[in-house]
Amino acid sequence: LSARGAEAFFFHLATPLGEGGLALFELFGTGVEAALERLFRCRALPGEGRARLGGFADLGGEVVDEAILARLGAAASWFRLPAWALSVHGGIWIQDRVVAVLESAGGVRLSLRGVLRESLRSGAMDALEAAAAELLVEARTERAAAFLLRQQAGELSCRLEECLAMLERDATGAGEGVARRLEALLFSSRAASRLCRPLRLLLAGRPNSGKSTLFNRLVERRRAVVSRRPGTTRDFNRETIDVGGFPVVVSDSAGVRRAAADPIEEEAIRRVWRESADAVVYLLAPPWRLEPEEDRFLQRLPAACRIVANNFSDLGDPPRSAGVALSISALTGAGVDTLRREILRRWLGPEPGGAADAAAPFNRCQVQIIEAGLDAWRATGGPAGIDALREAIIILLRSSWPNGERGDDPERTRAP
Ligand SMILES: Nc1nc2c(ncn2[C@@H]2O[C@H](COP(=O)(O)OP(=O)(O)O)[C@@H](O)[C@H]2O)c(=O)[nH]1
Ligand SMILES: [Mg+2]
């Protein structure tokens, strides 16, 4: 994508489309100053680091809105290119009108991804920084945001640049050391990926096993309908929660039940699993016996992806049985913290500690590039292996983003 000609420039609506106090447009590119000379009514356009109040007008001179125009140096813009920020009132009519005027003046409208693509193309950001900047917008926990902020600022990129420098200094001797560094980066990649892309956790079990009650417990808000009457959960309940700093999307499966006659909602669970779950917590109610059909069903889920828990522990002592990880009471909350810790340990990463999460590849594409480089190094060694390592690093920095799939998942396990 390129805006051609002296008149051309790019613009991006940075605020969500809708009614609000203000709408912020970001503008950049070679033709932008000339266009603003025509569209922005004030004594003179502001200098770098300054802002000015004026009128934003169409090409016919009709004022669309009162606006504030600020001029940002590359270091002051989030996508690291010299840019202008235009704030107008946040009404829908005004936003639509500003878009139309900017387009009539030669502006090319970009999405967030489009802006990052221009930043990457001009060398202001590398592919890892752009990937992090894109994900940062969707970060759902403090821990995820902190990790992505550091990657956006170049933490992982620096580690890789160091590896390149090692290969530069000593092309033959550095191979092993670089391979070890890449392996160390891979080691933390599961947790890093899970910070950036939520684990999708499905709550399953027979009607009245306590799924909705547990859902509410985990969410700490009463979103699901809780009732003794089977089948009263009508909506598909889904909420993002924070487990040890990791975002987890919890779903209460009952809402997607198709055949009411199906005692364990097998088809519903299977469908949800296929479409949208990475892991399952399966609840048992008194007398805490896994019926043969439940057992058959659970055996079809990969063992690593399921936790079976005895619920209603407040009503008695559930028997200890093979395959059941823990006892909880969704009603009183007993054992629910243990369940959270188990989810963290099995599927997410280390508990939050003092140290920041290590720099690591944070999506599947990045992981695959490193793995391919390491495989080639181990298979060939020597100069060809060194070249493979170098190439993997260069691809990571230059072209590992955008990679098509946005929410790609490093460990998606296929359906039962
Ligand atoms: N005593 C007790 N009651 C529970 C517990 N979990 C759920 N219940 C109750 O069991 C009933 C069915 O729970 P619900 O969450 O609607 O089950 P679902 O059909 O699996 O969603 C409700 O009346 C809950 O209050 C528990 O751990 N202990
Ligand atoms: Mg329910």
Side-chain angles (χ1 to χ4, degrees):
L1 180 60
S2 67
R4 286 183 216 293
E7 298 295 292
F9 63 93
F10 297 109
F11 71 95
H12 164 63
L13 176 57
T15 42
L17 191 62
E19 281 170 25
L22 61 81
L24 182 76
F25 289 87
E26 292 166 322
L27 301 82
F28 61 102
T30 47
V32 67
E33 188 162 353
L36 286 169
E37 295 277 7
R38 297 169 69 193
L39 302 174
F40 194 70
R41 299 296 162 88
C42 65
R43 271 180 294 115
L45 291 180
E48 188 177 313
R50 319 285 302 210
R52 187 156 277 174
L53 183 68
F56 182 80
D58 64 20
L59 289 172
E62 186 92 32
V63 171
V64 175
D65 192 15
E66 187 175 54
I68 295 172
L69 182 66
R71 183 181 201 152
L72 308 171
S77 98
W78 65 267
F79 50 99
R80 301 194 202 145
L81 293 172
W84 301 75
L86 177 75
S87 315
V88 294
H89 289 107
I92 291 183
W93 181 86
I94 290 176
Q95 294 181 52
D96 282 353
R97 191 77 192 106
V98 171
V99 167
V101 169
L102 290 173
E103 282 177 341
S104 71
V108 175
R109 185 171 180 180
L110 296 180
S111 62
L112 172 86
R113 176 169 270 204
V115 174
L116 288 169
R117 221 190 279 261
E118 286 304 311
S119 184
L120 178 64
R121 206 175 53 80
S122 61
M125 269 187 177
D126 67 37
L128 300 168
E129 293 164 345
E134 183 176 41
L135 286 166
L136 185 57
V137 176
E138 291 162 23
R140 299 295 294 267
T141 67
E142 185 179 348
R143 187 171 173 177
F147 173 80
L148 285 166
L149 257 179
R150 293 199 312 276
Q151 307 324 309
Q152 182 197 236
E155 189 183 44
L156 178 57
S157 307
C158 272
R159 298 283 179 283
L160 294 168
E161 304 272 8
E162 283 163 20
C163 290
L164 273 187
M166 284 168 71
L167 294 172
E168 203 64 38
R169 275 197 302 275
D170 176 10
T172 45
E176 198 46 52
V178 167
R180 271 204 304 277
R181 283 178 177 229
L182 293 180
E183 276 161 8
L185 291 178
L186 278 185
F187 183 75
S188 307
S189 68
R190 186 184 82 152
S193 302
R194 278 285 168 241
L195 281 174
C196 303
R197 186 181 184 287
L199 175 82
R200 295 166 306 173
L201 180 67
L202 181 69
L203 305 182
R206 288 171 177 278
N208 285 330
S209 56
K211 300 179 292 296
S212 303
T213 310
L214 178 60
F215 178 84
N216 289 337
R217 250 308 141 204
L218 290 171
V219 171
E220 304 288 8
R221 260 192 289 151
R222 303 188 67 80
R223 287 288 299 267
V225 178
V226 181
S227 161
R228 202 173 281 283
R229 220 181 59 204
T232 42
T233 312
R234 293 257 155 61
D235 292 314
F236 189 72
N237 296 292
R238 184 182 292 226
E239 194 65 69
T240 305
I241 62 169
D242 179 327
V243 178
F246 290 85
V248 174
V249 176
V250 185
S251 304
D252 176 350
S253 69
V256 294
R257 173 157 60 242
R258 281 286 175 272
D262 183 346
I264 59 164
E265 304 168 0
E266 180 168 349
E267 189 43 44
I269 295 166
R270 208 160 348 150
R271 211 193 66 166
V272 173
W273 172 260
R274 258 200 317 270
E275 289 169 9
S276 59
D278 304 304
V280 170
V281 169
Y282 194 90
L283 294 181
L284 289 175
W288 301 291
R289 253 200 329 267
L290 215 46
E291 298 300 330
E293 79 266 20
E294 292 178 280
D295 196 41
R296 264 201 311 280
F297 168 71
L298 282 170
Q299 292 309 323
R300 299 228 289 274
L301 300 175
C305 299
R306 58 180 143 91
I307 290 176
V308 180
N310 285 325
N311 191 23
F312 293 82
S313 67
D314 56 304
L315 294 187
D317 226 356
R320 300 194 128 269
S321 46
V324 178
L326 69 171
S327 292
I328 63 167
S329 168
L331 189 69
T332 67
V336 173
D337 275 341
T338 311
L339 174 62
R340 275 184 225 267
R341 273 199 298 281
E342 191 62 10
I343 292 167
L344 187 63
R345 188 182 69 77
R346 287 229 210 161
W347 297 318
L348 300 171
E351 302 231 16
D357 289 290
F362 49 88
N363 67 32
R364 184 171 53 191
C365 171
Q366 296 164 4
V367 167
Q368 283 171 346
I369 293 167
I370 295 183
E371 281 174 348
L374 282 170
D375 284 350
W377 158 256
R378 286 190 204 108
T380 32
I386 300 266
D387 281 346
L389 291 177
R390 185 186 291 113
E391 193 173 307
I393 296 172
I394 289 171
I395 290 172
L396 278 166
L397 289 167
R398 295 206 188 135
S399 51
S400 60
W401 181 92
N403 48 36
E405 268 181 288
R406 192 129 71 108
D408 63 350
D409 181 354
E411 338 171 70
R412 178 80 175 111
T413 318
R414 273 298 134 205

